[in-house]
Amino acid sequence: MTKGLLHPTRRGLLMAGGAGLLSAALPGYVAAQGAPIKIGFQLHRTGIGAAYGRWYERTAQAALKAINDAGGIAGRPVEILFEDDATDPKRGSEVVDKLTQSDGCDLVMGTLFSHVVMGSAPRAGELKVPYLVCSEGYHVASGMLNRWTLQPGITDVRSQIASMAPWVSANLGKKVTMIFPDFAFGYDHRDFFTAAMAAQGGEVIAQIAIPPTETSFTKYFAQIPAETEVLYHVMVGPAVLTFVKELGEFYGSGAKPQMFGFIDSLEAVDTATPGLEFLEGTHFWEAHNRVKPADAGEHEAAYRAAVGVDDNGASVSDAADIATYSHMFSTWETLFAIKAGMEASGYAGIADRQKFVEAMEAMTDLPYGIERPQGAKVFNGKTHQVFGTQNISQVQGGKLVRVHQTSMADGAYEDAVDYTTMSF
Amino acid sequence: MAFGPFFLLALMEGLVTAAVLALAASGLSLVFGVMRVVNVAHGAFFMLGAVLAWAVASAMPGQPAIAFLGALVIAPLLVAALAALADGLILKRLNYDPEATIVATIGLLYMIQQAVLALYGPNANPVTAPFELRLQLPWFGYSGYKLFVIVAAALVLLALWVFMTRTKVGLIMRATQVDRTTARSFGINVDRVYMGTFALGAALAALAGVLIVPIQQAHYLMGGDPLLLSFIVVIIGGLGSLRGTVVAALIIGLSDGVISMFFSPTLAKIIATLLVALVLVFRPQGLFGAKA
Amino acid sequence: MKVWALHLALIIALAVALAVLPPYPATTLARILVLAVFAMGYNLAFGYTGLLSLGHALFLAAGVFAAGLSAQFWGLSAGPALLLGVAAGGLVAAAVGLLALRTAGVSFMIVTLMFAQAGYLTVLYFGTITGGDEGFNLPAASRTVFGFDLSTDTPRFVAALVLFAVGLLASLALVRSSFGRSMVAMRENEERSRMLGINPFAVKLAALVLSGLYAGAAGAAYALLFGYAGANFATIQYSILPMLYVLLGGAGTTIGPFLGALLMFGLIEVTSRMARLWPVLEGMDYFLIGAALVVLVLFAPRGILGTLRERGLKWLP
């Protein structure tokens, strides 16, 4: 097997030697009128984000087809160029270069992991190319980035977290212990939920941070104070299922607090997996309900059909292949936001990129529709961030069932930046 | 939780870590001891064991115990065959030059990882434990399977020890370890010993992967941490010393659990890493090695 | 004479390339030049002195964060920030070297790896300052040198080329000096050089510190030229990367690190272009890199320039 694989590789190496720079030197070209609109997509095809990347690609493809079937953007066909960023900030920045300068894309979108967004945004700003991220990070609205970076497809994590506090304190308990990863994503949870809980008269009594390289978790659970009423948990990465399983083993049949988790802890994981029975009756944040709610909106079925997801949130071709349902809608909604922004600005080519950003900044109310299957949203042009409603689901019979939907006001916070005052 | 039960839990967790680590590291130690080869692809063999266990389990739905037993046999054999192939096609032709083999095994690591990503996908998939048993202690619950892992790893290590010290093949391997040239002049087929050793080392990593996969999940990047920890264990224990490897695995596993009781977890990791590095600095031959 | 001419010709050729290439390959070349500086530093330790380190990401990250944080919190401009990055790389390398050089061979490899791992975790631990895993974008005002804006193409290209040229010529001068011969003596036969009156520890420490200065410069320059500092630069991948560049181009050759970096970027570029035609290649760049390493070590174990040197170009430094 090894031998057979070596052969094409030697050729690849020679080609790299001979043609590497040559092919890199192929000049980028400027899209002409009537030619397709080219959208560059920074994709986590490999690396730690790959489980999300797969679904981001599928969802974006589905949205692309829907847009093209309906006549494209301003009458022009649309195409997406996917490029792997290896979930790495340095590579991400190179990918922005490539998609913009070499492929001549009109804009770049798609990134999920925050460090890739942070690594890529400076290049987007320098190249003056709109950069639309699908990351839910608080990096955009916090003012850390630049005028060319926008997040029109998903509510940021600060708002998501804050909107959970009223319901949690009213229904689950006032004394909360938090378990979160010991890095920036976890700190957003720690800081914003602690503050939001205090505003509701609740209290976070312990904060347990788990190091990023950890693969076993039981020893940390011992630090959960006995008087804890609600255990708030969030974890990301390939070890999430271990985390949740060990939590179940730790409490076992003994008394346990109420549990509230972010679905990130179980994204792409089946809630009916053996070992997760203890989750029965516990609650999760979901941006977009994985299991189709009985009172789902009118466009939910069409969206699922287009992406290829069944009513349980699994792939229609493989029931064990669970979608990253609470994140991937962002690529769909971002593509439709691009369509709206381009059509509003009369976008004709890359010379109009600035007009496109200004048109995006002018957006406000974004009603529910097939363009936004997750729900109605409000775009804040000053902070470049969109805000929508969130859901709280309970595990009932091994399935996530929606029990509450937040209001926009629950997740509101004061603007931290006004990008519109910055220069392009 | 009170200090006593907390400490007990940290110890039990540390023992599980130590058991899996000892098993994975013993393979690395064997390969380094006998062949003087630093196998960077060792973590990839560990990962392959876990992924193959998942494949076997998916082929036999509904029979976790039988699937697990099957995986215990099939995964190490397949991985050993792959390792033997890599030895014959690559390492042997490099004449086991230390630096060249590091580069070659880095290449092997990348190839295995990406091939698994392409064929198996990026998801972390669970494998059901062969039996469902939860121990409910007064303070916390604990997985019976984790205790089984400790016992199984101890048995495998014991068998390995018997094999190395009580059988003729083991004797030949140890003779090759001491002096390759002399061994050859005594008519030992060193090439075959090397191929066998490399395959055995990989099989041990795969076995550790099979044992861990009902606790963790099979994921194409899961080999990284065990690789680093195995390296550390092997070097702390003294290169090529099986006894040292086991003791070092216990020290690393237990200290990881216990230090995290007293410091913020990330700080605990920093302290533990620096402590181990300093042990190596001031005792470069490891705790049990005779000389560097 | 021939040697200096070759190196000057390379620098001139690169200058011409940066001037005439379209934006994307030119920007990519600037990235390659900065990373080649990192690899040249690695080459001084590994290729010439025989120190197989797996911890160079720590020195790179020292440069990234010294420059990035001083720009972020003290508002330093690019010049002083770069110098601080260089110094940080050297200082950290000295501290690591004082301890790690008590070991050799595989132990040295592991000890440097562990120091780098501790460094990575430290960056995360002080996340409120360093930005943790997310990192931060450098303020635009700090990315200027002598009034030139490093976030625009021409100043960026010139800065990358100047850094590379200084690094290349300095390493050429170094390896042709008597100290350079002491370094090689460490690699070839430490015992014999000890008998010749060379202090092995001092030579190895000096080589590692020089290596750290290069890594620090590359880290600082990368942060300043491309505007981002993050913990990722401290991960193990960035210790393996320069090793791959050096091995590919030729360990112990002055131009090898650059050639290796160039080829590696080329390989990724070609794979990604071919993947658009044949989707089976999607995400397989590291599979091909792995296979290339195996092929290389089997058929050209001294790397490309090392093999050329063996096959006749004996004068190649």
Side-chain angles (χ1 to χ4, degrees), chain B residues 81-157:
Chain B
L82 178 69
L85 198 68
D87 176 79
L89 288 177
I90 304 168
L91 300 186
K92 188 176 149 198
R93 296 174 60 179
L94 298 174
N95 208 18
Y96 304 102
D97 172 69
E99 273 169 22
T101 49
I102 289 179
V103 181
T105 51
I106 290 179
L108 209 56
L109 162 74
Y110 284 158
M111 289 166 73
I112 295 175
Q113 230 170 50
Q114 296 302 307
V116 169
L117 173 64
L119 299 172
Y120 166 83
N123 281 4
N125 289 307
V127 172
T128 313
F131 57 88
E132 283 293 327
L133 177 67
R134 279 195 56 267
L135 300 181
Q136 188 66 48
L137 301 178
W139 318 278
F140 56 83
Y142 204 73
S143 147
Y145 179 75
K146 282 189 174 177
L147 299 180
F148 165 77
V149 168
I150 300 176
V151 176
L155 286 179
V156 173
L157 287 168

Side-chain angles (χ1 to χ4, degrees), chain C residues 89-162:
Chain C
L91 272 176
V92 174
V96 168
L98 278 174
L99 290 168
L101 283 170
R102 298 171 56 107
T103 64
V106 186
S107 293
F108 179 76
M109 195 173 96
I110 298 297
V111 171
T112 48
L113 173 82
M114 298 190 71
F115 278 125
Q117 185 71 4
Y120 167 62
L121 290 170
T122 306
V123 171
L124 295 184
Y125 186 68
F126 292 103
T128 43
I129 303 167
T130 62
D133 57 312
E134 273 190 354
F136 59 93
N137 289 352
L138 273 66
S142 69
R143 295 173 63 194
T144 56
V145 65
F146 305 125
F148 292 106
D149 183 356
L150 291 175
S151 66
T152 55
D153 279 355
T154 307
R156 173 164 31 219
F157 297 164
V158 172
L161 183 68
V162 168

Side-chain angles (χ1 to χ4, degrees), chain B residues 17 225 257-258 269:
Chain B
T17 310
D225 286 328
V258 175
K269 292 260 171 208

Side-chain angles (χ1 to χ4, degrees), chain A residues 9 24-25 45-46 83 88-90 93-94 97-98 101-103 114-115 118-119 122-123 126 145 183-184 212, chain C residues 23-25 27 31 35 124 133-137 143 151 156 222 227-228 232 238 269 272-273 276 282-283 291:
Chain A
T9 306
R45 182 171 275 141
T46 60
E83 187 73 30
D88 175 276
K90 173 180 151 290
S93 154
E94 292 163 18
D97 285 358
K98 176 172 177 148
Q101 296 184 308
S102 176
D103 295 319
S114 295
H115 61 319
M118 297 290 286
R123 284 303 288 151
E126 287 160 25
L145 301 173
F183 52 78
Chain C
Y24 173 61
T27 308
R31 292 180 190 272
L35 290 175
L124 295 184
D133 57 312
E134 273 190 354
F136 59 93
N137 289 352
R143 295 173 63 194
S151 66
R156 173 164 31 219
Y222 210 88
Y228 171 69
N232 213 57
Y238 287 86
E269 183 68 33
S272 106
R273 276 175 195 279
R276 293 210 181 142
E282 275 172 3

